[in-house]
Amino acid sequence: MPDSAVFVPHFHWDREWYEPFQVFRHRLVAALDTVLETAEANPDFRFTVDGQMAAIEDYLEMRPENRDRVVALVNEGRLAIGPWLILLDEFLCSGETIVRNLQMGWAAAEGLGGAMSIGYLPDMFGHIAQMPQILARAGIEHAALWRGVPGSVGGHAFRWRAPDGSEVRTEFLFDGYDNGLDVLLVPDQIGRALGEYARMTAERWGGDPVLAMAGTDHNAPDPQLAAWLRRASSEERPITIATLDEYIRKHVHDDVDTVVTGELRSHVRGNILPGVLSVRLGLKQRMAVAERTIDHAERVNALWSRRDDSPFLSLAWHKIIESTAHDSVVGSGTDETCDQVEARLAEAAQAARAVRDAALAEPAASVPSDGYLVANPLPSARTALVEVDVVAPAEGTTLVATAADGSVHPVQLISQAPTVLSDERMDASQLERVLRRIHRRELFGLLIDHYELTAGSLVFHLAEVPASGPFDLLILRREVAAAAAAHPGEWQVRTLAEARATALVPVHVPACGLTSFRVEATDRNAAPAMQFAPATATADALSNGLVEVAVAADGTLDVTGADGTVLYGVGRLVDGGDRGDSYNYAPPALDVLVSEPIRVTVDFLESGPLRARLRVTRVYEWPAALSSDRDLRCGRTVPTPVEMLVEVHAGEPFVRVSTSFLNQCADHRLRFHLPLPEPVAKSASAGQFAVTERGLTAEGGWGEYPIPTFPASSFVSAGAANVLLDHSSEYELVDDGSALAITLLRAIGSISVNIHPLRDEPAASELPAPGAQDLGMRIENRFAVVPSAAGWQGANAIALAEEFRNDVLVARGTAPTTGHLPPDASGVRVDGNDVLVSSIRRVTDSDRGVGTEVRLAAMSDTASTVCVTGTFTEATTVDLLGRPLSLTPVRDRLELVLGPWEIRTVVLR
């Protein structure tokens, strides 16, 4: 039995949850006031601030006068802060966001005296496979956590190994991060209670002292804690007060034999609350948009802009990272809390978009105003389709796209805009009111090319790029006033736009590079040949030579891949009841599953040759809600049309699918099924620098039923089915492994429910969250399906997922002339199989100056040879905190060998 104990005073601080951020911050300030006062009054007192710097930043914003007090305690080793900016949900953000979280938290802690070098992860709902490597590559050797640890761990510590082989010694908080509180319930009985706890848990500790985490959510420890523990300490069982860092470094042995490899998602010793993966879909989608926008902004700013917009990018990153908190993006808060998270993510995307657009504006200034600039955010060359607004072709002509190198490409018209924008009749005395609409040369969002002024008639001709000479508004006013005086009575005023159309244009763009094009009319017989086999459509089928889609009578899809693999019945929708909460799904006792539509229609939308589209509309009768006792779905149904947009692009080996419906029903879960050619026993999903394999079951043993629903970020693969994803999603292998199900919506009405059929312990108070029903909201999901008998690696899913998620960027040229298009320009190029480039950004070192940082991740269990090309003369390998490890003189080409699943960061100068 352990003969000593170490108490770690701390609190766990949910920045926002069942109350919004500012309400919790008010409590935070009072709690940290107490902590500082307690520490200063008692030299033996120690405190650990939950591993997240956001709590300190939030505090000092309200108490800036206390900064020196905080610094003093940190420097004395009595206040442990960092290393994270915030305690995140690891599965609902990108791996790059996790790295930036650690970087920003570490830097903030360094400014106050230094970070706790412990990967403290006390309350996350499971842990990603690559977390040990992220910590180790930041120089952090230890972690401490609670949820998700498998039953194979019998002690209070284990070695946690990432797929690449990196390890961190991990303290297992097997009784939670508040295990010391039960011992403290009766201050005069602490010694007895501690002895009982030590006996109950003796097999866990071995020869190490008991770790008693003395703290809980949103409360400072009692100021008398140190005095209580001094009185309870004895020669038989001495008690020490320490920070978590001190406990791990000074009081425990490092010889841990148990090794756990990969992600931690076991339910055996604590609830991991997997339903957060699918509740409040909008937050997951906004997170993906914000992460994608800032990634693109950093890349184009680093490669194509002379302006350093790092303050805006830092602001955007901070807001994204704040929103990754494990009670934020997960959607388990009140409606007002989730509204704030959504707004914060929108702000982050807006700040990043401003940087991105400003960076693109610089090279766009070299493109003539009748042309378009296209930027590729990916470090590999690609051909992509872009939609642009163009002058509609005249009768007998067709449109073509001309690139900077003179090559000519086909164009597909997909819509035509109206040309008559207004046709009004008014008295001559009212003409001045019309002129007030004109701002310099702009009218109705276009520019006045010329006008026609005759007796009783004024006609404006508008264009995006005027072909006529200068326009003088003062002359127009004078002429109209004279004409109105000369011709009183009724006038006709017409505003005409040049005939415009929306066109699809195929554009080949270099790696991380720029290209430009213009669209011009040519003789219809002079149309250029297609580079790829054309995309075609019939009334119920699509094809592009690589993938084929046939719409079945029930509205599902039969999809044939490039290798001949066929997936039948793709897109079967299965809707069932959900009597659970934001944390856990639960079916009603008498569930009714609805999977057959009452009506199916197919609309032919586009016939190619660049893009072919069909729209399948299926109408379902879904129960409106659960009954009052919540054990069955009510008898009233709501006819709900679900639109499924199906499209193929020339040259793409996958079919794009988008679903959309207006949600009018409560308490239900809707899933998109992909039946598999034959049953499988495992699946794999990509996210956070790894592809993780999982089976048909999950490990249970605590108070939570282990439903095998799992997270996926960029793709999920099962057998011959590979699905590329737009945002973090939830999936499950169902029907004994014969189908893959992806959750499209989980609509519930409570943060937590007290009585949950699949979870013993309430996850929070039973508070209403009506916004989580998404009633009256249009629910949209988009993904792509890649049939392949060779699985995700044979399907090249890593690269295809990047192409699917990252559209090229388009900006109108702003050069004042209609001259030559500028030549193509290449940026950083990365060649290598199954290699993910998670970041390209500008960095500045006080010694070496400005550089371009590139972060690579090998997404394979074999070594990867990578070639990075660009314009540089040296490459510095750095750790995940940006600290230099080695410098290599090179010229425009860097060859690297990445180990299996290795994350490598280099700075090019």
Side-chain angles (χ1 to χ4, degrees):
M1 187 172 68
D3 59 4
S4 63
V6 177
F7 279 73
V8 174
H10 75 103
F11 57 41
H12 174 54
W13 206 272
D14 300 289
R15 195 167 184 261
E16 54 199 357
W17 181 17
Y18 56 82
E19 293 283 10
F21 163 59
Q22 296 297 357
V23 174
F24 267 132
R25 172 149 73 172
H26 192 270
R27 299 179 187 176
L28 170 70
V29 170
L32 280 176
D33 281 345
T34 299
V35 167
L36 297 186
E37 292 165 3
T38 302
E40 290 167 346
N42 190 331
D44 295 334
F45 185 76
R46 304 286 192 273
F47 191 79
T48 300
V49 190
D50 204 28
Q52 53 182 336
M53 282 302 299
I56 297 295
E57 290 186 347
D58 294 341
Y59 175 75
L60 291 179
E61 189 174 359
M62 295 293 106
R63 292 279 196 269
E65 68 276 10
N66 287 346
R67 178 184 177 87
D68 290 345
R69 297 171 68 192
V70 170
V71 170
L73 290 171
V74 172
N75 285 331
E76 293 170 12
R78 298 200 292 129
L79 185 66
I81 60 175
W84 302 101
L85 178 59
I86 207 152
L87 293 182
L88 72 162
D89 186 286
E90 299 167 31
F91 293 97
L92 290 176
C93 63
S94 70
E96 186 62 31
T97 298
I98 296 174
V99 171
R100 301 302 180 91
N101 186 341
L102 186 56
Q103 290 178 346
M104 294 183 80
W106 191 273
E110 287 293 294
L112 295 173
M116 173 176 69
S117 191
I118 305 292
Y120 188 43
L121 306 161
D123 199 29
M124 285 71 162
F125 306 152
H127 304 278
I128 61 168
Q130 287 281 38
M131 183 59 76
Q133 184 179 180
I134 291 172
L135 295 174
R137 288 184 181 268
I140 297 174
E141 300 175 340
H142 298 268
L145 50 82
W146 168 32
R147 303 184 195 265
V149 177
S152 59
V153 176
H156 72 101
F158 61 96
R159 302 208 66 81
W160 186 15
R161 181 178 297 162
D164 77 313
S166 300
E167 289 185 358
V168 289
R169 181 200 176 279
T170 303
E171 186 69 22
F172 176 27
L173 308 176
F174 58 89
D175 277 340
Y177 54 79
D178 59 354
N179 70 313
L181 291 189
D182 287 348
V183 173
L184 301 174
L185 283 175
V186 183
D188 291 340
Q189 297 294 319
I190 290 175
R192 176 195 55 78
L194 179 60
E196 291 181 4
Y197 181 73
R199 282 189 291 275
M200 291 168 53
T201 59
E203 62 182 16
R204 289 273 180 184
W205 303 111
D208 292 330
V210 169
L211 169 62
M213 298 295 290
T216 188
D217 297 358
H218 319 133
N219 283 286
D222 192 293
Q224 299 300 310
L225 174 63
W228 296 344
L229 295 178
R230 278 195 297 270
R231 289 197 298 270
S233 182
S234 64
E235 291 185 6
E236 179 186 40
R237 184 168 289 108
I239 294 174
T240 304
I241 298 178
T243 64
L244 183 62
D245 182 64
E246 288 175 322
Y247 169 78
I248 289 174
R249 296 187 182 280
K250 297 180 181 180
H251 297 283
V252 299
H253 300 102
D254 200 33
D255 53 342
V256 179
D257 296 328
T258 303
V259 176
V260 177
T261 299
E263 71 176 3
L264 306 179
R265 288 194 65 83
S266 171
H267 307 254
V268 72
R269 291 293 301 184
N271 298 338
I272 65 167
L273 311 171
V276 299
L277 297 172
S278 51
V279 73
R280 296 195 192 258
L281 168 71
L283 291 180
K284 282 63 173 176
Q285 292 173 326
R286 283 194 180 275
M287 176 61 70
V289 168
E291 289 180 323
R292 196 153 46 233
T293 306
I294 195 169
D295 181 33
H296 293 174
E298 285 191 328
R299 295 183 187 211
V300 296
N301 178 260
L303 297 172
W304 305 114
S305 176
R306 294 182 297 274
R307 174 173 172 167
D308 182 1
D309 267 330
S310 54
F312 287 93
L313 293 169
S314 295
L315 171 69
W317 271 119
H318 203 288
K319 289 184 177 295
I320 289 171
I321 293 165
E322 289 176 60
S323 303
T324 64
H326 66 288
D327 286 303
S328 297
V329 69
V330 298
S332 59
T334 60
D335 288 352
E336 62 178 337
T337 294
C338 293
D339 288 346
Q340 286 184 318
V341 178
E342 186 172 308
R344 190 185 302 127
L345 287 169
E347 269 194 90
Q350 291 155 10
R353 189 180 74 205
V355 173
R356 180 200 68 192
D357 293 350
L360 290 176
E362 294 182 47
S366 299
V367 177
S369 56
D370 64 341
Y372 294 87
L373 174 78
V374 181
N376 178 13
L378 298 183
S380 55
R382 64 195 291 203
T383 297
L385 296 183
V386 300
E387 289 189 15
V388 292
D389 180 72
V390 298
V391 177
E395 186 68 28
T397 65
T398 190
L399 296 180
V400 296
T402 303
D405 62 2
S407 60
V408 181
H409 306 277
V411 167
Q412 177 182 331
L413 290 182
I414 55 177
S415 66
Q416 193 137 345
T419 57
V420 179
L421 303 186
S422 71
D423 189 346
E424 305 167 275
R425 293 185 180 273
M426 62 187 66
D427 188 79
S429 63
Q430 301 298 308
L431 290 176
E432 174 60 27
R433 296 174 59 188
V434 173
L435 300 184
R436 292 182 201 149
R437 299 171 181 167
I438 303 170
H439 301 274
R440 291 171 292 279
R441 195 169 189 165
E442 182 270 327
L443 177 60
F444 295 163
L446 296 170
L447 300 178
I448 297 173
D449 182 79
H450 65 282
Y451 59 90
E452 300 169 12
L453 180 61
T454 58
S457 174
L458 174 58
V459 182
F460 293 105
H461 293 269
L462 310 184
E464 279 206 341
V465 182
S468 61
F471 169 80
D472 193 322
L473 181 57
L474 295 178
I475 292 176
L476 172 63
R477 288 183 179 278
R478 186 172 66 241
E479 291 178 351
V480 169
H487 303 282
E490 186 178 74
W491 277 62
Q492 182 183 30
V493 180
R494 303 181 75 211
T495 306
L496 306 179
E498 62 184 341
R500 307 292 298 182
T502 302
L504 271 179
V505 180
V507 182
H508 184 76
V509 202
C512 278
L514 305 176
T515 192
S516 58
F517 70 92
R518 59 164 56 95
V519 176
E520 303 168 305
T522 188
D523 184 88
R524 184 165 289 170
N525 296 323
M530 287 280 295
Q531 180 182 357
F532 302 105
T536 62
T538 65
D540 59 359
L542 303 171
S543 178
N544 67 357
L546 296 174
V547 63
E548 296 179 359
V549 184
V551 182
D554 63 355
T556 61
L557 310 174
D558 297 338
V559 183
T560 304
D563 65 355
T565 299
V566 184
L567 301 176
Y568 294 99
V570 171
R572 178 173 178 256
L573 298 181
V574 179
D575 186 77
D578 191 341
R579 62 153 299 170
D581 52 31
S582 66
Y583 293 102
N584 295 80
Y585 159 79
L590 301 173
D591 200 5
V592 173
L593 298 181
V594 180
S595 60
E596 300 301 322
I598 60 173
R599 187 166 60 256
V600 178
T601 57
V602 182
D603 295 313
F604 178 94
L605 299 181
E606 295 175 15
S607 59
L610 299 174
R611 183 174 72 191
R613 275 180 164 181
L614 298 174
R615 181 176 58 234
V616 180
T617 304
R618 291 172 285 178
V619 181
Y620 296 87
E621 291 280 0
W622 290 340
L626 293 180
S627 63
S628 58
D629 65 4
R630 302 186 63 76
D631 278 331
L632 72 160
R633 305 184 80 178
C634 72
R636 183 172 72 85
T637 61
V638 179
T640 304
V642 181
E643 294 182 354
M644 182 167 64
L645 183 66
V646 188
E647 62 182 76
V648 296
H649 294 187
E652 286 186 346
F654 49 81
V655 55
R656 295 170 179 258
V657 179
S658 302
T659 61
S660 175
F661 63 94
L662 183 67
N663 184 44
Q664 304 170 77
C665 302
D667 310 317
H668 68 126
R669 180 181 68 174
L670 177 66
R671 302 208 283 188
F672 184 100
H673 282 225
L674 295 91
L676 305 176
E678 56 185 31
V680 299
K682 64 181 181 180
S683 63
S685 76
Q688 298 84 31
F689 306 124
V691 178
T692 301
E693 287 194 353
R694 305 180 180 99
L696 297 177
T697 60
E699 183 182 34
W702 189 247
E704 180 179 59
Y705 186 82
I707 294 178
T709 53
F710 298 112
S713 291
S714 59
F715 71 78
V716 58
S717 175
N722 303 280
V723 183
L724 314 179
L725 300 168
D726 173 69
H727 59 269
S728 295
S729 302
E730 173 191 88
Y731 77 91
E732 182 181 2
L733 286 177
V734 297
D735 303 331
D736 297 322
S738 62
L740 172 65
I742 299 172
T743 305
L744 303 184
L745 172 70
R746 200 166 71 82
I748 51 87
S750 295
I751 291 180
S752 177
V753 292
N754 292 335
I755 305 299
H756 193 293
L758 301 182
R759 188 188 67 232
D760 292 344
E761 181 185 4
S765 299
E766 188 168 288
L767 296 174
Q773 296 282 15
D774 281 332
L775 288 169
M777 302 293 292
R778 181 151 291 278
I779 306 302
E780 298 179 335
N781 287 271
R782 75 178 190 105
F783 31 85
V785 179
V786 190
S788 173
W792 65 269
Q793 286 181 300
N796 198 23
I798 297 293
L800 292 183
E802 286 295 283
E803 289 192 17
F804 174 67
R805 292 163 68 95
N806 294 276
D807 292 333
V808 294
L809 310 172
V810 183
R812 187 68 181 260
T814 57
T817 65
T818 56
H820 294 293
L821 297 169
D824 289 358
S826 295
V828 174
R829 175 175 170 173
V830 178
D831 294 301
N833 294 327
D834 291 334
V835 173
L836 174 72
V837 177
S838 74
S839 172
I840 300 174
R841 63 165 176 161
R842 183 200 312 259
V843 293
T844 303
D845 181 271
S846 58
D847 295 325
R848 309 199 69 84
V850 177
T852 301
E853 182 187 83
V854 181
R855 190 158 10 261
L856 311 155
M859 302 290 280
S860 170
D861 56 7
T862 60
S864 303
T865 300
V866 182
C867 181
V868 182
T869 54
T871 303
F872 48 87
T873 58
E874 67 177 41
T876 304
T877 299
V878 299
D879 71 6
L880 283 185
L881 295 178
R883 298 173 297 203
L885 301 174
S886 64
L887 187 148
T888 305
V890 290
R891 182 164 294 280
D892 302 337
R893 179 183 176 89
L894 173 66
E895 289 194 1
L896 302 169
V897 176
L898 302 185
W901 307 108
E902 180 187 353
I903 304 167
R904 182 87 64 86
T905 308
V906 294
V907 178
L908 310 174
R909 291 185 173 89

